[in-house]
Amino acid sequence: MKATKLSFVPLALLIFSSATYGGEEIDRLLAEYSKIETVTCKIRRTKEGTAGKMKFLSRVYYTNQNKLHAEKLTPVKQRTIVDGKTLFQYTDGSKNKGFSRSIEDLSPQMKISLQYVPGTAMDHLLHLKGRDEITLPATEEAIKRVGVQTNNKYVVLLFNVNSRLSGVDFFKTEAMETKIADYNYSDFAEIVPGTWIPMAHVATMSNDQFNFTEKVKIDSYIANKPIAASLFIPSNFFDKDIDFVDDFAKIFPE
């Protein structure tokens, strides 16, 4: 068993319909999401593809003060607690060994996973923050599209008539000939005034080796309500006999 990490991917130049902007839509969305300071919710995931089908159920408690308590209930029980300074994670069946590392020593990807508000697309947006945006022609699926070039892929953000982020597409190049992944968001709810969160997500990914679809349903979403401080105290939930180490390879060696 492998430990689960915190876990989130030229032809002739296309003619775009507008100018380049420095993070206009990305910054707007991140500003909206920043209004959410605490979250409690349940998340159901179904992954299906070449490797089979799996269902996941989790309870999540989040604060924007680097505090997180995520309890995965199925298919394998796993608990992750971040107390504001250090991350602790333990998976059933790991022979009393858990993973722990200070926040400042986490990988960039793991740091981002602690920053994004549950249910949002912040895991994508934080990777794109600070990059130039180019407005692309509208389509039947999106009244507005924004293209962002990263180091190794081209990302297109799709917006619906209400200016809500309805999708994120990933392409190999700016030519947008080969799509490698897409995320679609729906069933929006206004969680706090002016901030809408999609309660349904569908992601598809494919390459030469595999393909899979992930469906996410979020419910019992409560924002900006007090969360018991005791939920972020690791000793309240982890057995004192667990040996926390700073490398997943020490838990499940190759």
Side-chain angles (χ1 to χ4, degrees):
M1 183 199 311
K2 292 288 185 181
T4 302
K5 299 182 181 181
L6 289 174
S7 61
F8 264 312
V9 52
L11 201 70
L13 291 177
L14 300 177
I15 299 176
F16 301 123
S17 63
S18 188
T20 298
Y21 299 91
E24 180 179 288
E25 290 293 346
I26 293 170
D27 287 348
R28 175 183 68 83
L29 289 167
L30 291 176
E32 289 181 8
Y33 298 149
S34 71
K35 299 175 186 177
I36 300 177
E37 299 177 355
T38 68
V39 173
T40 64
C41 67
K42 294 180 181 178
I43 300 177
R44 301 177 187 273
R45 299 177 185 269
T46 302
K47 290 186 178 182
E48 188 169 7
T50 51
K53 183 176 181 178
M54 297 186 72
K55 293 185 177 182
F56 304 83
L57 172 62
S58 302
R59 283 197 293 254
V60 178
Y61 306 88
Y62 157 91
T63 84
N64 63 355
Q65 301 299 312
N66 279 328
K67 293 186 177 182
L68 176 74
H69 185 144
E71 182 184 12
K72 186 183 294 182
L73 302 171
T74 60
V76 176
K77 290 186 178 181
Q78 180 187 78
R79 193 185 301 273
T80 301
I81 296 178
V82 186
D83 62 6
K85 296 181 179 180
T86 307
L87 178 146
F88 299 85
Q89 185 179 87
Y90 178 74
T91 304
D92 275 11
S94 57
K95 299 179 181 179
N96 279 343
K97 281 190 176 291
F99 174 80
S100 180
R101 189 178 292 176
S102 67
I103 292 175
E104 63 181 18
D105 292 330
L106 293 174
S107 67
Q109 177 59 45
M110 293 183 78
K111 287 181 180 178
I112 284 179
S113 72
L114 299 181
Q115 295 174 41
Y116 85 89
V117 176
T120 71
M122 283 181 68
D123 49 341
H124 302 310
L125 299 177
L126 289 170
H127 282 102
L128 302 175
K129 182 175 174 59
R131 296 181 181 273
D132 287 337
E133 300 177 8
I134 297 178
T135 301
L136 307 176
T139 64
E140 292 182 1
E141 294 78 21
I143 193 169
K144 181 175 183 179
R145 296 190 304 154
V146 170
V148 183
Q149 179 67 61
T150 73
N151 293 338
N152 56 7
K153 61 180 67 71
Y154 195 70
V155 184
V156 179
L157 308 178
L158 295 84
F159 296 87
N160 64 19
V161 67
N162 296 307
S163 297
R164 299 168 197 159
L165 183 65
S166 58
V168 181
D169 292 343
F170 292 83
F171 298 89
K172 283 189 174 182
T173 69
E174 186 180 3
M176 294 187 288
E177 288 188 312
T178 304
K179 183 185 290 189
I180 55 179
D182 62 67
Y183 293 76
N184 294 288
Y185 306 107
S186 60
D187 192 17
F188 287 86
E190 190 174 19
I191 300 303
V192 299
T195 300
W196 294 78
I197 304 297
M199 298 293 110
H201 306 190
V202 178
T204 58
M205 297 184 185
S206 63
N207 60 29
D208 295 336
Q209 284 76 43
F210 73 92
N211 66 79
F212 78 85
T213 299
E214 179 182 72
K215 296 181 180 180
V216 176
K217 294 291 291 183
I218 302 169
D219 56 34
S220 304
Y221 200 105
I222 301 172
N224 291 356
K225 298 294 184 182
I227 300 177
S230 59
L231 284 167
F232 306 109
I233 299 176
S235 60
N236 288 348
F237 299 91
F238 295 121
D239 191 283
K240 63 181 181 181
D241 294 330
I242 295 176
D243 177 23
F244 285 99
V245 296
D246 62 358
D247 191 334
F248 284 101
K250 296 177 181 179
I251 305 173
F252 300 106
E254 295 291 341

